[in-house]
Amino acid sequence: MAELRSGHVGLNVTDIDRSLDFYTYTLGLEVISDGTGAEEPGHRFAFLGRDGKVMLTLWQQAVEGYAPGGAGLHHLAFEVDTIEKVRSAEKLLVNRGVPFDYEGVVAHSEGSSSGGIFFHDPDGTRLEIFASSGAEDAPAPSGTEPTCGFF
């Protein structure tokens, strides 16, 4: 098992067209492949990523949005190289009217140099874009607890 590493994350969505717009236009992911469920009319899917590597799969089979109190996915985090790239993503998301959990870039905890932005996709799934350094002067809304913890 020492060879394990993350592959991709699959998300159930309520409207794949809306989700494709969000993840491709807003977050810059590419559609690697897409299709329909042969057995289930109305079920569609899409594989998204970069440079041919799948990072995220979307499955149109949900009838309700994300349930924060349910078991399963807590949040999905994307890492970028610099805090400036986090701020650039923040501007784009603000311009698109995307809802945020915190205002601006926040540190992952008090004294942490890593930090990012926390927001939601069209179905309410919690998302994060972060950098491993550069957030030393950013507020830590949860003190010493992880900022990505309890929303």
Side-chain angles (χ1 to χ4, degrees):
M1 292 291 194
E3 300 287 323
L4 291 178
R5 61 186 169 275
S6 294
H8 67 273
V9 174
L11 297 178
N12 283 335
V13 300
T14 59
D15 181 334
I16 200 161
D17 291 323
R18 180 179 68 173
S19 293
L20 280 170
D21 177 63
F22 179 83
Y23 285 99
T24 58
Y25 177 75
T26 305
L27 295 186
L29 297 178
E30 302 162 358
V31 176
I32 294 173
S33 67
D34 62 356
T36 60
E39 304 281 326
E40 295 287 334
H43 285 194
R44 294 173 52 201
F45 66 89
F47 290 11
L48 307 174
R50 291 235 169 85
D51 302 322
K53 182 177 181 346
V54 175
M55 297 169 56
L56 183 67
T57 61
L58 303 177
W59 303 93
Q60 182 174 291
Q61 61 185 359
V63 294
E64 295 178 7
Y66 178 76
L73 181 72
H74 179 272
H75 75 285
L76 174 59
F78 297 97
E79 185 175 6
V80 294
D81 296 331
T82 66
I83 206 72
E84 289 77 22
K85 290 182 179 178
V86 173
R87 289 191 175 99
S88 177
E90 177 191 13
K91 288 179 189 172
L92 177 66
L93 294 166
V94 166
N95 287 339
R96 294 251 1 223
V98 172
F100 284 78
D101 285 315
Y102 309 108
E103 188 174 329
V105 172
V106 294
H108 280 137
S109 65
E110 285 180 3
S112 176
S113 63
S114 65
I117 54 176
F118 296 84
F119 55 100
H120 299 264
D121 80 356
D123 282 310
T125 302
R126 298 172 183 157
L127 302 171
E128 172 186 359
I129 297 176
F130 76 97
S132 59
S133 63
E136 294 85 354
D137 297 326
S142 301
T144 58
E145 291 185 20
T147 301
C148 61
F150 300 102
F151 292 95

